[in-house]
Amino acid sequence: MRREPAHSADDSASFSEGGRGRVTRRAFIGLCAATAACAAVGGAGKAFAGQGDLLRPPGGQDEALLHAACLKCDRCRSVCPTGCVSVATVDDGFLQARTPKLNFHRGYCDFCGKCQEVCATGALGAFDPACDKIGVAVVQRDRCLAYTLGCENCKDSCAFGALTFDGDRRPVIDAQLCNGCGACECACTALVYGTFSGGTRRGIVVESVSAYEAIGSTLVDGEGR
Ligand code: SF4
Ligand code: SF4
Ligand code: SF4
């Protein structure tokens, strides 16, 4: 049987009565202290809310709705057959912690719909791969092996006709057709075999729609990113 830790009466005082998810005085004070610490180094806003949009499972692209409805129950991650659903941490921002995010180094989204089916709150709503977007794939010129050694490992990965190779045998993304499924990033071997300490990007990275719009291209040099 699970044992509850002993608390003083003051420590266990709750800001909402009983039940799961209540905020204890200790937790609240801890959160305030963490936020104050972030403010002290000038990064409170970004540390609290996160640096930008995360890639969400299909139907979770409305950030306001997702944050309002998501119970952080982990069911979407647990049913994903490809393993591409991951969980955000405080490194993604305090508000994002334990919400679902996609990691295309582990798998890609084949739009099976299982995560949407198990989401009981509607945080993951409808999604049409033909016209909606998880994100947009962006080729990283500094990482893509087609720019150096030669590589075509991602060539046949796209089921949506968004990835072709040009006359120099380098990948080109059609942002209109790309829905951000992540199959190309998953297939990329640039960080699988050509990895180096601290590297996190592959030759293709799916960016959020807002990040892609800020970049304004499906090809970046990648330096400093
Ligand atoms: S299944 Fe729905 S409510 Fe549960 S963590 Fe996933 S998005 Fe949130
Ligand atoms: S639709 Fe299927 S493959 Fe895509 S994230 Fe949801 S469970 Fe995973
Ligand atoms: S993320 Fe890659 S594989 Fe998926 S639709 Fe876009 S270009 Fe095609």
Side-chain angles (χ1 to χ4, degrees):
M1 187 169 62
R2 186 169 166 270
R3 292 170 66 99
E4 292 296 331
H7 293 299
S8 69
D10 184 60
D11 279 346
S12 62
S14 167
F15 290 88
S16 64
E17 282 305 316
R20 295 160 61 192
R22 70 181 182 179
V23 180
T24 64
R25 190 182 303 278
R26 173 180 288 174
F28 182 75
I29 291 171
L31 187 61
C32 291
T35 304
C38 291
V41 296
K46 285 180 179 173
F48 197 75
Q51 299 249 12
D53 291 346
L54 299 177
L55 298 176
R56 304 296 192 181
Q61 281 62 51
D62 184 334
E63 281 290 308
L65 175 61
L66 184 124
H67 278 286
C70 180
L71 297 176
K72 305 176 180 178
C73 69
D74 203 33
R75 294 177 78 189
C76 49
R77 184 198 61 75
S78 66
V79 298
C80 180
T82 74
C84 69
V85 179
S86 173
V87 176
T89 70
V90 290
D91 288 343
D92 297 303
F94 282 106
L95 280 182
Q96 309 285 9
R98 295 184 60 212
T99 60
K101 70 172 186 178
L102 298 182
N103 178 351
F104 296 134
H105 291 202
R106 301 152 57 99
Y108 65 91
C109 181
D110 63 6
F111 304 106
C112 69
K114 287 183 166 45
C115 56
Q116 293 153 288
E117 287 169 20
V118 296
C119 182
T121 67
L124 302 183
F127 187 94
D128 181 352
C131 56
D132 296 329
K133 291 183 187 303
I134 290 171
V136 177
V138 176
V139 177
Q140 316 283 304
R141 190 159 30 198
D142 65 323
R143 298 291 171 90
C144 176
L145 298 178
Y147 281 84
T148 52
L149 303 173
C151 173
E152 295 189 349
N153 278 320
C154 63
K155 190 172 184 179
D156 299 319
S157 60
C158 182
F160 301 94
L163 172 60
T164 55
F165 271 63
D166 65 15
D168 295 322
R169 303 174 77 177
R170 290 164 179 169
V172 176
I173 306 294
D174 183 328
Q176 294 279 86
L177 295 175
C178 177
N179 56 30
C181 74
C184 52
E185 182 174 343
C186 188
C188 177
T189 53
L191 261 183
V192 177
Y193 301 124
T195 190
F196 56 89
S197 179
T200 57
R201 283 181 296 116
R202 292 187 175 178
I204 297 181
V205 175
V206 177
E207 301 279 5
S208 67
V209 172
S210 61
Y212 160 70
E213 288 174 346
I215 294 167
S217 172
T218 55
L219 175 65
V220 293
D221 287 334
E223 297 295 337
R225 286 171 57 79

